[in-house]
Amino acid sequence: MKRLEIIIRPEKLEELKDILNQFKIGGMTVLSVMGCGNQKGDANSSLKGLKVHNINLIPKILCIVAVKDEDVEKILEAVYEKIPSGRVGDGKVFIEPIDDIMRIRTGERGEKAL
């Protein structure tokens, strides 16, 4: 199992929900966050390592999901196809291994808890 932390533009949330729904992923945590990448929030630049004195935090959406190992690559492909706008600041996906999961209500463990 893997944990995906998907950071996207707020206007792309519905598209991301559609992608996750295609993979029958119903459980997700969605947070409204602020952040910036290499451009320090300067959306007019495409240069990495740009020296910007002011850091501008940009509104983003962070979606956290737990998925089966076999679905990870397909989900990443779908995100890459449908989420990009082609502009700086489209987001990132962080992929982490999950050792175990437990559903609190039933005590189910592992993939049964997904």
Side-chain angles (χ1 to χ4, degrees):
M1 294 175 292
K2 298 281 192 265
R3 171 181 161 135
L4 303 181
E5 293 187 1
I6 306 167
I7 301 171
I8 58 170
R9 297 176 181 275
E11 64 269 19
K12 296 292 187 169
L13 179 58
E14 291 303 316
E15 290 172 69
L16 180 61
K17 286 169 35 181
D18 289 343
I19 291 168
L20 297 175
N21 191 44
Q22 289 173 10
F23 290 92
K24 310 247 185 291
I25 298 169
M28 66 183 76
T29 301
V30 177
L31 304 164
S32 180
V33 297
M34 303 279 288
C36 67
N38 291 332
Q39 288 77 20
K40 306 294 185 247
D42 182 359
N44 296 319
S45 174
S46 62
L47 299 174
K48 294 218 176 217
L50 176 70
K51 294 195 185 216
V52 177
H53 297 290
N54 294 326
I55 294 177
N56 297 314
L57 298 178
I58 308 295
K60 299 290 179 183
I61 294 293
L62 170 61
C63 181
I64 304 168
V65 294
V67 302
K68 296 178 183 178
D69 287 333
E70 59 265 22
D71 290 338
V72 172
E73 288 303 318
K74 294 177 214 162
I75 292 169
L76 293 176
E77 287 175 21
V79 166
Y80 179 67
E81 284 178 18
K82 297 180 181 169
I83 299 299
S85 69
R87 300 184 318 248
V88 169
D90 278 340
K92 289 198 172 42
V93 179
F94 296 91
I95 306 155
E96 302 173 18
I98 295 176
D99 293 330
D100 200 2
I101 298 174
M102 183 188 82
R103 183 183 316 253
I104 294 173
R105 178 177 51 87
T106 63
E108 292 171 300
R109 304 278 299 259
E111 287 189 7
K112 290 180 183 178
L114 288 178

